[in-house]
Amino acid sequence: MTTSPPATSTQAPPRPTLAVWKFASCDGCQLTLLDCEDELLSLADALDIAVFAEASSAVVAGPYDLSLVEGSVSTPEDAERIQQIRAASRRLVTIGACATAGGVQALRDFADVDDFLAAVYATPDYISTLATSTPISAHVRVDFELRGCPIDRGQLLEVISAFLARRRPTISSASVCTECKRRGNVCVLVAHGTPCLGPVTHAGCGALCPSYNRGCYGCFGPMESPNTTSLIRQLRVLRMSDVDIDRVFHTFNAAAPAFRDAGGQP
Amino acid sequence: MTTFDPPAAPGTPAVPTPRTTTIEPPPLTRVEGEGRLVIQIRDGRVEQARLRIFEPPRFFEALLRGRAFTEPPDITSRICGICPVAYQMSALAAIEQICAVEVAGPLADLRRLVYCGEWIESHALHVFLLHLPDFLGANSALELASTHRRHVERGLALKKAGNELIRVIAGRPIHPINARVGGWYRAPRRAELTALRPALEQAREIAHETALFAATLDYPDDHLDAPFLALRAPGTYAIERGRVAATTGLDIPPGEFGEHVREYQVPWSNALHASLSDGHRPASGDDAGTAGADAGSPDGTSYLCGPLARFALNAAWLAPAASETAAAAGLRAPERNPFRSILVRCVEMVYAADEAIRIIDRYEEPDEPALPVEPRAGTGHGATEAPRGLLYHRYTTDAAGTILDARIVPPTSQNQRAIEEDLRGVVERHLGLPEPDLTALCERTIRNYDPCISCATHFLTLDITRA
C-alpha cells in the first residue's frame, strides 16, 4: 500500500544497487553501516544505495543486486514481506543475530506468547504478532549470514567488498578462542576461572569480552562445530549452576540449534 | 524487472467515509522506527493526527522475568542500537538501588563519560544524517555530500569521536560489553583516555561550528505548548543521574516516576503512550506488580522530554563553552520551536565533548573496576537522560536476584502524545499547502523529535485523508 517504492523501474544502473531492510530488531546492525564513518562516502560512490530508510528518503524500485536484511520474522505481515524482498534481490545477506538466529526476541519461543503480550500490553488484541521469532533462513534462501549482536563493522565491510569483487567473503567460522590467542589474551576460563563461551562461539568480535576481563557471552552465536557438551562440563567444574548455564546459552542466540539444545528448557 | 511493493502495516486503518479520499505519498524516512502517520481532514478541520507505530513488539519486559539481576544491562541494551548506553545506565541505576550499592568516584565518572560518547554519536547521527538534509533540500547526507561535502565529512568525524569514546571505555559502540552491576569489568588506563583528547577537542569545535551554520537556516514557525520533563541535578547538566523535574513544578525522585507518569495503550500504536498527572494515579492504574500498561484514555497532560526539555530545565548549568555556543546560535531557554531542536543538539554535543575532556583530565585509575554486589529482594528505579529524553527502568527482584517484574518507559513513548498534538497544529496552520508540501512538512515535524520507535527504524508512511 503506502510503504512501496516508486512503481516505475529505472534503467539498469551502472553501479550495483544496495538495499537495506529491517525486520524485528534494534537497528544496531544497519547502524553499523553508518558507523563506517571513514568508508561511508566511498561506499556510496561504489554502490547505488537504492533503499536504506534510516539514511535516505530516496527509494529506488527493485530489483536489487545486494539486499542486507536485519531482524527476525515475528509477524504474519513480515513473513510475507521477506518473500517479496527475496524475489527482488539477486543476493541476500542477513546481518546479525536477529536475522540469522531469531535474536533475543526468540526467547518467546520458549514461553507462551500470550503471557508475554499480557505482561506488556493492557489490550493484547491490538497487537499482531507470531508465537515465534524466526531467522530469515527459515523463510527464504539466504546467500550469506553475518553473525553477531551486533555485527562487526570490519566483517560487514568484508562482505560488501567481497560482493563488489564477486568473490566469497573471507569470514572465519572458527571460535572466539582463535581470536583470543591471536590477540595474546590470557585465557579467562583457564587462568581466572571465569565462565566463558569463547570455545563454542563464532569468531568475529575480536575476542572483545575476554580482552575486558569478562567471559564471552556468546553474542555471535555458535561456531561451526561447537562442542557444547564438553564446555558445559567445564562450566560445572567452575561451579556455574544449571540455571545460569541455561541463561547464558538462551540469550541473544537462543534459537540457534546448538545453543537452543545446550540451554535445555528453562 | 521486478518491483518490490512492501505490504501495508498491520493495525487499524484510517476509516474512510464514502466521501473520503485517501492520499498516499511516498514513504517518510530518516526516522528511527517503523510507523506511519495518519491524518484525517474533514471540512477543513483536522479530525485525527496519529503516529501509528507498527514496529513488531519484542516483549523485553516479559523476557526479563526469570533472568538474573546481573543481566538487564546486556539484555536491555538490545532494545536500541543507537542508544544502548542509555539502557545500560538506567538498568544499572535501578538494580544498584535494589542492591544498595552506590557507584562513586572514577567508576561513576566513567559512566558519565561513556554517556557523553553516546550523546555525541546519537546527536551527530540525527543532526547530520537525519535532520540536516531537511533544511538543505536533500534526500540524504550521502546526497548532501555532493553540495556540502565539508559539513558531511566533519559531521562523520564528530560522530566517530563519540563512537570512539564508547569503544575505548566499553568495547564497542553498539551493545558495549564493559558495564556491569557495581562498576565495570575493566577500568581503562589513563593513557587510553587521554589519547582521545584531540578528537574530542575537534568534536567540540565541529559541534560549535555546526551550531553557527544551523543558526543561518530557515525555520518554519512552530510553538510547542506541552510541559517539559527532564532529569535535574542542580550544579550540572543532568545526564546519568538526577531528580525528575518538569516545567509544571514537578520535582520528584525517580522512584516516584510511576506515580506521576501513566502509560496507556492506544489501538493505533504498538508503543505505549504516556501522560503526566499531578501525582494521584487512579486505583485501576496501579501496575506495580504484574499487569501491563493501562488501557484507555489518558487522564493527565501530554509532555515532552529530550533536548528541548533538558535545555529548558537545565540551561543554567551548561558549562561556559556550551553556553557560548547557545548564545552565538541565538538560542535562549526555553526554546519552544521543535524545528530549532537541531540547535539544541549541537549545543549538547559541545557540552558532551567539553564535559568528556574535563572528566578525562581528572580521571585517576580506580583500584578495582567494580564494587562487590550481592543480590537482594526489592524494587529499584533508574532514570537517565538518553539522547532522546528520559529513560526510566524499574525492576523487582527476589532474594536470589531473580527478576520478578520489569518496566521500561523509553522517551519516544513519552513523547508520542506531544508529537501528535504538534502535528495536528502544524497541519491546521498549513491546510492550504499543496499535498506534497504538507506531506514534507509533516515528515519534518516528526523528524524534529528524533523519534526512536523500537529504538529502531523503518518506514514511517504518511496517509492524509480528506473528506
Side-chain angles (χ1 to χ4, degrees):
Chain A
M1 200 164 78
T2 50
T3 50
S4 41
T8 51
S9 293
T10 52
Q11 292 290 316
R15 294 172 298 165
T17 50
L18 173 75
V20 182
W21 307 102
K22 176 186 155 63
F23 287 76
S25 65
C26 78
D27 218 34
C29 290
Q30 57 174 308
L31 179 66
T32 304
L33 194 54
L34 299 178
D35 277 357
C36 298
E37 288 100 356
D38 294 334
E39 298 87 4
L40 190 60
L41 294 180
S42 38
L43 259 179
D45 290 337
L47 287 160
D48 180 8
I49 298 178
V51 179
F52 189 178
E54 176 168 16
S56 178
S57 298
V59 178
V60 179
Y64 309 104
D65 292 307
L66 174 62
S67 275
L68 300 177
V69 180
E70 169 190 279
S72 67
V73 175
S74 68
T75 66
E77 294 77 15
D78 277 354
E80 278 296 311
R81 190 163 62 102
I82 190 59
Q83 299 294 338
Q84 295 173 294
I85 289 172
R86 175 69 262 188
S89 307
R90 194 163 69 79
R91 289 276 181 268
L92 188 153
V93 174
T94 59
I95 53 172
C98 296
T100 60
V104 69
Q105 59 271 22
L107 286 173
R108 82 179 67 183
D109 301 2
F110 305 94
D112 182 339
V113 77
D114 291 333
D115 290 347
F116 268 37
L117 262 171
V120 182
Y121 297 100
T123 314
D125 297 350
Y126 296 160
I127 308 292
S128 168
T129 190
L130 292 171
T132 54
S133 165
T134 41
I136 301 301
S137 62
H139 300 265
V140 296
R141 181 172 54 82
V142 170
D143 295 298
F144 193 79
E145 292 184 320
L146 198 52
R147 310 295 194 87
C149 180
I151 54 170
D152 176 75
R153 186 173 61 169
Q155 290 201 335
L156 177 64
L157 288 171
E158 163 59 15
V159 164
I160 294 173
S161 306
F163 169 79
L164 287 171
R166 296 174 177 274
R167 61 172 171 81
R168 194 78 192 153
T170 310
I171 303 281
S172 168
S173 56
S175 72
V176 169
C177 287
T178 60
E179 297 186 306
C180 226
K181 297 293 166 288
R182 218 172 291 132
R183 208 164 157 160
N185 288 339
V186 171
C187 178
V188 295
L189 193 141
V190 172
H192 301 162
T194 303
C196 180
L197 292 197
V200 297
T201 298
H202 198 285
C205 64
L208 205 51
C209 286
S211 306
Y212 278 73
N213 297 328
R214 175 180 190 180
C216 165
Y217 61 86
C219 72
F220 272 63
M223 51 129 18
E224 198 171 35
S225 49
N227 188 345
T228 50
T229 311
S230 171
L231 180 65
I232 287 169
R233 206 158 42 228
Q234 189 59 31
L235 295 176
R236 288 194 177 122
V237 169
L238 296 173
R239 299 178 182 277
M240 200 172 175
S241 70
D242 282 354
V243 66
D244 284 338
I245 291 171
D246 288 350
R247 281 172 178 153
V248 74
F249 281 108
H250 282 179
T251 315
F252 306 112
N253 290 277
F259 280 11
R260 181 191 61 212
D261 300 342
Q265 294 294 317
Chain B
M1 284 187 121
T2 321
T3 53
F4 170 57
D5 191 18
T12 318
V15 185
T17 66
R19 299 186 299 120
T20 302
T21 45
T22 304
I23 300 144
E24 296 180 355
L28 183 72
T29 48
R30 279 185 284 124
V31 292
E32 291 137 1
E34 210 171 22
R36 69 194 296 167
L37 206 55
V38 181
I39 292 175
Q40 282 186 7
I41 302 166
R42 177 191 290 268
D43 302 328
R45 276 199 58 239
V46 181
E47 287 212 319
Q48 204 180 73
R50 285 177 173 176
L51 179 58
R52 259 186 51 211
I53 290 175
F54 51 87
E55 178 84 26
R58 292 163 72 215
F59 307 113
F60 276 88
E61 287 147 317
L63 62 85
L64 282 161
R65 290 185 186 174
R67 306 295 301 207
F69 74 110
T70 49
E71 294 187 285
D74 291 325
I75 291 178
T76 63
S77 77
R78 267 67 184 188
I79 293 173
C80 179
I82 299 150
C83 56
V85 169
Y87 281 90
Q88 296 190 338
M89 295 299 140
S90 285
L92 289 168
I95 293 160
E96 287 166 1
Q97 187 185 36
I98 298 174
C99 300
V101 171
E102 183 152 5
V103 174
L107 301 181
D109 272 357
L110 286 169
R111 289 188 176 171
R112 188 169 172 90
L113 184 57
V114 77
Y115 224 138
C116 286
E118 181 156 289
W119 275 27
I120 295 170
E121 64 82 14
S122 175
H123 278 358
L125 174 75
H126 188 258
V127 166
F128 291 94
L129 278 81
L130 313 186
H131 211 188
L132 202 53
D134 276 341
F135 292 95
L136 300 172
N139 281 313
S140 69
L142 302 173
E143 200 179 297
L144 209 56
S146 59
T147 54
H148 295 76
R149 193 167 187 99
R150 183 167 177 275
H151 281 299
V152 175
E153 282 175 351
R154 284 172 69 84
L156 289 170
L158 177 57
K159 181 168 167 297
K160 186 180 174 185
N163 275 336
E164 276 297 291
L165 185 52
I166 303 173
R167 189 186 62 76
V168 167
I169 298 169
R172 60 187 175 197
I174 301 169
H175 309 329
I177 53 86
N178 193 13
R180 69 184 296 180
V181 179
W184 302 89
Y185 287 94
R186 171 188 177 276
R189 308 303 306 263
R190 208 183 131 67
E192 293 176 273
L193 297 184
T194 51
L196 294 165
R197 224 177 170 284
L200 289 166
E201 284 168 8
Q202 190 201 23
R204 183 173 57 188
E205 184 192 313
I206 295 170
H208 175 75
E209 180 196 80
T210 306
L212 298 187
F213 170 69
T216 67
L217 301 170
D218 285 332
Y219 291 96
D221 285 334
D222 192 10
H223 184 90
L224 192 85
D225 296 319
F228 289 128
L229 180 143
L231 284 189
R232 190 162 58 189
T236 185
Y237 201 74
I239 302 179
E240 82 293 2
R241 64 177 64 182
R243 288 168 65 85
V244 180
T247 48
T248 55
L250 182 80
D251 181 9
I252 53 167
E256 291 173 24
F257 182 81
E259 293 164 34
H260 295 266
V261 170
R262 195 171 75 93
E263 277 190 292
Y264 59 98
Q265 193 181 0
V266 294
W268 63 89
S269 179
N270 285 1
L272 302 174
H273 281 213
S275 69
L276 184 64
S277 72
D278 58 8
H280 300 288
R281 293 161 56 99
S284 64
D286 182 8
D287 61 348
T290 51
D294 301 343
S297 59
D299 55 354
T301 63
S302 64
Y303 66 95
L304 190 79
C305 55
L308 290 177
R310 289 191 291 254
F311 187 64
L313 286 154
N314 299 327
W317 295 301
L318 283 170
S323 290
E324 283 159 25
T325 301
L331 264 182
R332 295 209 355 227
E335 173 58 61
R336 287 200 162 270
N337 182 347
F339 287 91
R340 288 166 64 83
S341 62
I342 190 170
L343 296 170
V344 179
R345 287 190 190 88
C346 290
V347 168
E348 289 195 334
M349 285 191 285
V350 172
Y351 179 79
D354 195 49
E355 177 75 349
I357 291 167
R358 269 191 299 278
I359 295 172
I360 288 172
D361 286 351
R362 70 165 182 253
Y363 177 70
E364 287 177 17
E365 292 171 22
D367 296 334
E368 293 293 334
L371 304 170
V373 183
E374 293 298 324
R376 278 172 48 150
T379 296
H381 310 261
T384 67
E385 284 290 337
R388 284 155 201 79
L390 190 143
L391 170 62
Y392 168 81
H393 286 218
R394 184 195 69 202
Y395 300 96
T396 300
T397 56
D398 67 14
T402 303
I403 294 167
L404 305 175
D405 181 63
R407 178 55 82 197
I408 296 166
V409 185
T412 296
S413 209
Q414 301 174 66
N415 286 348
Q416 273 187 101
R417 197 170 151 200
I419 295 174
E420 289 184 347
E421 287 170 0
D422 184 26
L423 197 61
R424 173 187 289 266
V426 166
V427 175
E428 275 169 0
R429 286 194 298 279
H430 296 92
L431 277 174
L433 279 182
E435 208 73 55
D437 296 349
L438 184 58
T439 299
L441 189 62
C442 289
E443 291 172 352
R444 292 185 62 181
T445 301
I446 297 290
R447 255 181 232 122
N448 288 336
Y449 295 93
D450 189 11
C452 193
I453 284 171
S454 71
C455 290
T457 190
H458 202 45
F459 295 134
L460 184 64
T461 303
L462 181 65
D463 270 355
I464 298 181
T465 306
R466 287 187 195 263

